[in-house]
Amino acid sequence: MGEDTESSKGNHSFLRDYVTEADVISTVDSTTQENLLATGDKGGRVVVFQRETVSSLLPPTSSHLLSSLLPLPPLLSQPKGELDQVGETGESGEYNVYSTFQSHEPDFDYLKSLEIEEKINKIRWLPQQNAAHFLLSTNDKTIKLWKVSERDKQPEGYNLKDEEGRVKDISTVTSLQVPVLRPTDLMVEVRPRRVFSNGHTYHVNSISVNSDGETYLSADDLRINMWHLGITDRSFNIVDIKPANMEELTEVITAAEFHPHHCHLFVYSSSKGSLRLCDMRASALCDRHTKLFEEPEDPGSRSFFSEIVSSVSDVKFSHNGRYLLTRDYLTAKVWDLHMEKGPVETYQVHDYLRTKLCSLYENDCIFDKFECVWNSSDSVIMTGAYNSFFRMFDRETGRGVTLEAWRETSKPRAVLRTRRIYTGGKRRRGDVGVDSLDFTKKILHMAWHPEENIIAIASTNNLYIFQDRVSPDTQGPDLGSDTI
């Protein structure tokens, strides 16, 4: 009997931990529109979650994603290493699945004899213009515009169609009637409105919606194109860094984003760690940048891995448009648009991995592309790490915390505890050694609600949603230290 119980538990654990490649989340994006959140996975699916306002939290719903609404540890004064339960303020809401649809299918480029994966590389919400919601999704080659809308009425009483929608024989129509709308159960409809294809020779790594609400950009390794949302058969090339001789290629484009307020400005990052701010008022083809942001390299610290770890994997404008947030392999940096000579803030995400770069290169982890995000007030930044850890940094104090998004410790209504990485000296209970980090559990994709302290963390096929429920009388920023 005991053996059967243990076997049952083992099978349950195996099924729970078993993850198919198609279920791995590849992108996350949040919007204020009715508190919607969208995720894309490697199977080409898009799952839209909607936050429902309730007075109490219910157990999380489960599909191929795990959606849990948990309180964030307060970025305020608390005992180091352990955070107490904090009181609820206001109403909380649980994110439930709103709609699921297949965005992309696997394809084949017959001209180049290459398979095109269905993996969703990026999702971006468009500003809401009416009751419907629109989002852009892209795989390596094709960008699609989707309309997500609700319908609670159904037309009835057609003259030339029967109740099942089949066309009637006109000879049987003896009278005419006026069709009417009848109330029906609420349905969520998702329809493709535009398909933007044949715009990129290389893999699309970024899409960004312009503040004018009419255009967006898409970027691949060597080119950036600007599209109009109403025109699918042509785009305008605004950046082209492809050399006449590909052997002279020294860097590629890694990310691009429009300015949140000025529709003529955009920024793109490169594999050399530089940022280029471009102004479309100066020239139609922005091969010549307006500003170049880069940090001088110390010749004494240069190594074989220097260029790899300095490659920028993500760039984000702050909400006020004054700063840029970038992420390379080891650090997150904040840049002031008024100062090009170097970053104004540098945060070490996992500096303890510098001694492990050789092994990380061998297992290809050194090429992982971590994302970074701002909070709604631009006072806190967040980015991912390994071992299901993610990091938050308070810009005022410069101090950070390490948190963990893991199924076993992330229970509804529980407050997350900070984690510490042991690098030497006195070891405390609960510290995690560098050699015991699991590099297969990586936090690459995340999103922060544009107006509230709600974050979404993607870890393999799991989506963790955390909410800040700090009591308003708590004061004094103190993130604590997580590395000793």
Side-chain angles (χ1 to χ4, degrees):
M1 184 67 178
E3 293 180 359
D4 293 340
T5 303
E6 292 180 2
S7 177
S8 176
K9 290 181 179 180
N11 292 334
H12 176 73
S13 177
F14 171 77
L15 292 175
R16 183 189 63 187
D17 296 334
Y18 178 73
V19 180
T20 61
E21 186 72 11
D23 290 337
V24 175
I25 299 175
S26 55
T27 184
V28 183
D29 192 35
S30 179
T31 178
T32 57
Q33 305 171 20
E34 298 185 13
N35 291 307
L36 296 180
L37 174 72
T39 65
D41 61 28
K42 292 186 176 181
R45 296 180 297 259
V46 172
V47 181
V48 180
F49 296 89
Q50 184 181 46
R51 182 185 176 205
E52 298 179 1
T53 302
V54 293
S55 58
S56 60
L57 294 177
L58 302 175
T61 58
S62 299
S63 58
H64 77 289
L65 301 170
L66 175 65
S67 176
S68 304
L69 188 61
L70 305 171
L72 282 171
L75 300 180
L76 302 169
S77 178
Q78 292 287 349
K80 294 181 180 180
E82 182 172 340
L83 296 171
D84 298 330
Q85 179 74 36
V86 294
E88 297 185 35
T89 59
E91 292 185 335
S92 302
E94 179 185 346
Y95 278 85
N96 293 315
V97 176
Y98 183 64
S99 178
T100 303
F101 60 95
Q102 187 72 29
S103 174
H104 288 72
E105 300 282 356
D107 203 352
F108 190 81
D109 188 334
Y110 292 96
L111 186 62
K112 298 182 178 180
S113 298
L114 293 175
E115 292 185 359
I116 302 175
E117 293 183 344
E118 65 271 33
K119 171 191 170 186
I120 307 297
N121 292 340
K122 291 292 179 182
I123 291 176
R124 289 294 179 263
W125 290 97
L126 271 65
Q128 188 173 8
Q129 305 292 340
N130 49 44
H133 309 281
F134 293 86
L135 63 84
L136 290 167
S137 64
T138 182
N139 64 351
D140 288 339
K141 298 292 183 181
T142 304
I143 306 165
K144 295 184 180 182
L145 174 64
W146 297 90
K147 178 182 178 181
V148 183
S149 59
E150 295 180 353
R151 190 178 72 178
D152 58 0
K153 292 181 176 60
Q154 184 174 352
E156 294 181 0
Y158 287 111
N159 291 290
L160 300 179
K161 294 181 180 179
D162 59 20
E163 295 179 355
E164 297 180 359
R166 294 174 297 190
V167 179
K168 295 180 180 179
D169 185 355
I170 298 179
S171 61
T172 63
V173 179
T174 58
S175 62
L176 297 179
Q177 58 183 343
V178 178
V180 295
L181 293 175
R182 302 290 186 188
T184 184
D185 293 337
L186 181 66
M187 294 183 293
V188 179
E189 294 182 330
V190 181
R191 296 181 179 179
R193 295 303 302 270
R194 304 280 191 278
V195 178
F196 307 88
S197 57
N198 303 321
H200 289 276
T201 305
Y202 306 97
H203 292 177
V204 178
N205 55 47
S206 301
I207 52 176
S208 177
V209 181
N210 202 345
S211 59
D212 61 13
E214 297 181 352
T215 58
Y216 73 93
L217 65 77
S218 58
D220 62 26
D221 293 341
L222 299 179
R223 294 186 178 96
I224 300 177
N225 295 336
M226 187 171 73
W227 303 77
H228 191 283
L229 289 168
I231 302 174
T232 61
D233 58 350
R234 64 182 181 273
S235 61
F236 301 93
N237 180 234
I238 53 178
V239 173
D240 188 348
I241 65 171
K242 182 180 180 180
N245 183 3
M246 285 296 286
E247 294 181 357
E248 299 174 359
L249 182 67
T250 58
E251 62 180 338
V252 296
I253 299 170
T254 56
E257 185 172 76
F258 266 121
H259 192 280
H261 307 301
H262 301 301
C263 60
H264 55 273
L265 293 178
F266 68 93
V267 68
Y268 68 93
S269 59
S270 79
S271 56
K272 281 192 171 182
S274 61
L275 306 171
R276 290 173 173 85
L277 183 70
C278 300
D279 190 339
M280 292 187 289
R281 297 174 300 180
S283 174
L285 186 62
C286 300
D287 286 344
R288 295 185 178 180
H289 50 266
T290 302
K291 289 187 176 183
L292 174 64
F293 303 86
E294 58 184 356
E295 187 175 18
E297 183 182 7
D298 181 10
S301 62
R302 181 168 180 80
S303 68
F304 172 77
F305 305 107
S306 295
E307 186 169 329
I308 300 176
V309 299
S310 65
S311 175
V312 176
S313 58
D314 195 18
V315 58
K316 294 284 174 54
F317 275 103
S318 60
H319 292 86
N320 60 20
R322 172 68 184 273
Y323 300 97
L324 290 168
L325 172 62
T326 63
R327 172 66 201 268
D328 56 41
Y329 188 69
L330 295 175
T331 65
K333 299 174 182 177
V334 175
W335 306 73
D336 190 331
L337 291 185
H338 297 171
M339 193 176 79
E340 304 173 50
K341 63 180 181 180
V344 293
E345 303 165 22
T346 300
Y347 302 96
Q348 300 295 333
V349 179
H350 38 212
D351 194 56
Y352 45 82
L353 294 182
R354 288 189 183 274
T355 59
K356 305 289 183 180
L357 293 180
C358 186
S359 58
L360 292 170
Y361 177 79
E362 292 175 355
N363 60 21
D364 288 339
C365 285
I366 199 172
F367 301 105
D368 287 334
K369 308 299 182 184
F370 293 94
E371 295 179 2
C372 54
V373 292
W374 300 85
N375 73 333
S376 58
S377 62
D378 299 331
S379 60
V380 178
I381 64 172
M382 178 175 66
T383 189
Y386 293 108
N387 206 66
S388 297
F389 291 164
F390 62 98
R391 304 213 58 195
M392 288 184 175
F393 297 93
D394 187 320
R395 295 184 59 207
E396 182 179 353
T397 63
R399 304 175 72 182
V401 292
T402 299
L403 305 170
E404 184 178 22
W406 187 39
R407 190 191 305 242
E408 299 300 325
T409 58
S410 300
K411 304 297 182 182
R413 301 180 69 91
V415 175
L416 288 178
R417 296 172 180 264
T418 58
R419 302 304 302 265
R420 293 165 55 91
I421 307 299
Y422 174 77
T423 57
K426 184 179 180 181
R427 186 163 185 169
R428 300 181 183 180
R429 181 181 180 183
D431 287 353
V432 179
V434 177
D435 292 332
S436 61
L437 293 175
D438 188 344
F439 293 101
T440 63
K441 297 178 180 179
K442 56 192 75 173
I443 304 294
L444 301 178
H445 312 289
M446 56 187 56
W448 202 312
H449 193 283
E451 296 179 354
E452 301 181 46
N453 273 341
I454 298 176
I455 61 174
I457 305 292
S459 176
T460 57
N461 68 325
N462 299 321
L463 179 68
Y464 299 91
I465 301 178
F466 305 101
Q467 176 177 351
D468 187 3
R469 284 157 48 197
V470 182
S471 178
D473 57 356
T474 309
Q475 299 178 355
D478 183 7
L479 289 177
S481 174
D482 63 283
T483 304
I484 56 175

